[in-house]
Amino acid sequence: MRRKQAAARRGLLAALRADLWSTAADPLPRMRGPRPLARLPHVLVVLYALVLGLFPDGEGIDPTVPLLATAQAATLVAAMFRPLPAFWASLAVVLAGARAGMTYLPQTLTFPWMIERETPGAPLVPEFPHTDPVAFPWTGSGIFLHSGVLFLLALRVRPRAAAEALAISVLGAAACVVFLPQQTGGTPVIALPVYALAVASGTMIRMLRTTRNRLEAQEELTAEERAHRTLLQERSRIARELHDVVAHHMSVISIQAQVAPHLVHDPPDELRDNLAGIRENAVEALTELRRILGVLRTEDGADAPQQAPQPTLDRLGELLANVRGAGVALTEEIAGEPRPLAPGVELSAFRIVQEALSNAMRHAPGAAVTLRLRYQPDALTIRVVNAAPARPVTAPGGGHGLPGMRERAAMLGGDLVAGPTPDGGYEVSAFLPAGPSAGPPRKGDESAP
């Protein structure tokens, strides 16, 4: 039994030492908001310490009381930087003041601004001889200075440590009542609810601040996860579209490899074997592509729309006509000689133009839009510029548009830049590497200067 009690005492002392015995710096955080107001809490603490710590020499006041008040005000200021050492120093001032710092004033009149300063030649006798002595820790100044230290401590330590500091303060006050009854009387009882209120207030503020920080961290994490999920969804959609393009070409290769032997009179066995190998590899690759596409489309549950032919720049006229039909003043400018490009380039270019025009219609209602396509020998440049919106913008942002366009450009080894223009509009510019012509020039295409 004794061993268990001894172990419990050792455990309690170890917990108190871990919670309340540290000299590490723990500065009071700055206030959020405008930068000039960041240090406002520190200024208020200093003013609080000055008001309560400048205890004047007056009638009915022991000469040590002003020194004790100054010392405890200093511990309050120190609590802004090292709360645990400041707590122990403040507690030491409380215990020393209970023995050496007497006042002979009513306890309700023991705030510094309520005390008349000592007049020259006045006798050093109490002005209220009928009043019981009140030690400095139980004056208004002493109670609220130590309560301020407890409050600043509760702002920075765990609730358990704050409760332990409160319990130690209560035990200290009880010890003064037991061992120094003539100096204290029943006055420490008034300090206890003030101490408890200070600790409870500091703990609540700390909990609110901790909860807010956790919510902000969770919001940042959620935003990152949302952006990552958006990127993955866009990549999946691009992969599905490219699958249709690649699958078409693999099917053509397979059919051509099967038909080629019949186009040659008496083809050699080596040619037959090579063509058979080409066809076999094409069929295997096509099977793998279909298997991958099945995985990508599992979550969508709507395969029919994905089976539609993927658009190319041949259908750009239809897209522009639909945009103009919606009432948008759209201007089209094409520079260079239009030519068929690789299917992946044409698909990405069409989707980038489509998304950029949709964003302009959604986020800049009533604004004029200009589309510029420039065919270069080794690249295709796209620019979609809209003027400032003519009406208030009501559509929310944060969709898949810009991430998807950037992903398409990056997939081809290109680049995409988007941002506001000096006149209040918005511009999307894309550079897509493109090899030589993939076929004969398109009929009906006209180049613009």
Side-chain angles (χ1 to χ4, degrees):
M1 186 67 178
R2 292 181 179 178
R3 290 181 179 179
K4 292 182 179 180
Q5 293 177 351
R9 286 194 296 269
R10 287 195 297 269
L12 178 60
L13 293 176
L16 290 175
R17 181 174 182 179
D19 291 340
L20 297 177
W21 190 259
S22 174
T23 58
D26 189 5
L28 184 67
R30 298 184 181 184
M31 187 176 70
R32 298 189 179 188
R35 188 173 181 180
L37 299 179
R39 291 290 186 181
L40 181 59
H42 304 75
V43 174
L44 293 178
V45 171
V46 173
L47 292 177
Y48 182 89
L50 289 175
V51 170
L52 294 177
L54 296 179
F55 212 97
D57 291 329
E59 297 178 351
I61 298 175
D62 192 277
T64 60
V65 171
L67 297 178
L68 293 169
T70 302
Q72 196 153 26
T75 64
L76 179 62
V77 175
M80 291 192 297
F81 308 99
R82 297 180 185 270
L84 288 174
F87 163 72
W88 291 111
S90 179
L91 185 64
V93 173
V94 169
L95 297 178
R99 178 66 181 85
M102 294 295 108
T103 64
Y104 297 89
L105 303 171
Q107 193 168 22
T108 57
L109 301 178
T110 53
F111 289 95
W113 57 86
M114 298 179 178
I115 300 172
E116 297 181 1
R117 294 187 176 274
E118 183 179 3
T119 56
L124 294 177
V125 295
E127 183 181 358
F128 306 96
H130 60 281
T131 302
D132 293 333
V134 178
F136 167 72
W138 322 127
T139 63
S141 181
I143 291 173
F144 281 89
L145 281 173
H146 188 65
S147 298
V149 174
L150 289 173
F151 174 78
L152 294 179
L153 177 68
L155 286 177
R156 259 84 58 79
V157 299
R158 294 182 301 171
R160 188 182 77 175
E164 292 168 351
L166 175 61
I168 292 174
S169 298
V170 172
L171 290 176
C176 294
V177 173
V178 174
F179 298 105
L180 301 171
Q182 294 181 353
Q183 284 81 0
T184 56
T187 50
V189 178
I190 301 178
L192 302 185
V194 182
Y195 291 170
L197 180 61
V199 171
S201 301
T203 301
M204 290 298 297
I205 294 175
R206 180 183 183 276
M207 293 176 62
L208 290 175
R209 184 181 63 199
T210 303
T211 303
R212 181 180 60 189
N213 292 339
R214 289 178 179 175
L215 287 176
E216 291 177 354
Q218 184 62 36
E219 289 176 357
E220 292 179 0
L221 182 60
T222 302
E224 293 178 0
E225 292 178 349
R226 188 184 302 114
H228 183 64
R229 185 169 60 251
T230 298
L231 182 62
L232 293 179
Q233 291 175 351
E234 193 61 27
R235 286 181 177 178
S236 177
R237 188 164 70 94
I238 294 172
R240 289 193 296 267
E241 294 178 350
L242 288 180
H243 164 271
D244 295 336
V245 175
V246 176
H248 168 73
H249 289 282
M250 295 301 295
S251 299
V252 172
I253 292 173
S254 176
I255 294 173
Q256 289 178 339
Q258 185 179 7
V259 174
H262 302 284
L263 301 179
V264 180
H265 178 69
D266 194 16
D269 294 338
E270 293 82 359
L271 178 60
R272 289 179 180 273
D273 293 341
N274 289 335
L275 291 175
I278 292 174
R279 182 178 184 278
E280 182 179 354
N281 290 332
V283 171
E284 291 180 358
L286 187 59
T287 302
E288 290 297 326
L289 283 174
R290 286 172 177 168
R291 184 178 297 114
I292 294 173
L293 180 64
V295 173
L296 294 175
R297 287 176 173 169
T298 299
E299 297 181 357
D300 292 341
D303 290 351
Q306 301 295 340
Q307 300 292 345
Q310 299 300 331
T312 63
L313 293 178
D314 285 330
R315 297 177 55 186
L316 188 60
E318 300 177 14
L319 174 63
L320 301 184
N322 292 335
V323 173
R324 292 189 178 100
V328 178
L330 176 62
T331 303
E332 176 189 7
E333 300 178 7
I334 300 179
E337 182 179 356
R339 66 185 188 278
L341 303 174
V345 176
E346 293 225 358
L347 173 61
S348 295
F350 183 90
R351 293 302 191 195
I352 289 174
V353 172
Q354 184 182 44
E355 186 63 36
L357 292 176
S358 297
N359 286 347
M361 297 169 62
R362 187 181 307 113
H363 300 290
V369 182
T370 301
L371 168 64
R372 297 185 178 94
L373 295 179
R374 183 176 182 83
Y375 287 85
Q376 302 177 12
D378 58 350
L380 174 66
T381 303
I382 303 171
R383 291 186 64 196
V384 179
V385 185
N386 63 265
R391 299 189 299 273
V393 180
T394 57
H400 296 198
L402 285 177
M405 289 189 287
R406 290 194 177 97
E407 190 68 20
R408 291 181 182 278
M411 176 188 64
L412 299 173
D415 190 20
L416 185 138
V417 179
T421 58
D423 61 352
Y426 202 81
E427 176 179 354
V428 176
S429 299
F431 175 83
L432 305 180
S437 175
R442 294 191 179 95
K443 296 181 180 181
D445 283 339
E446 298 180 358
S447 60

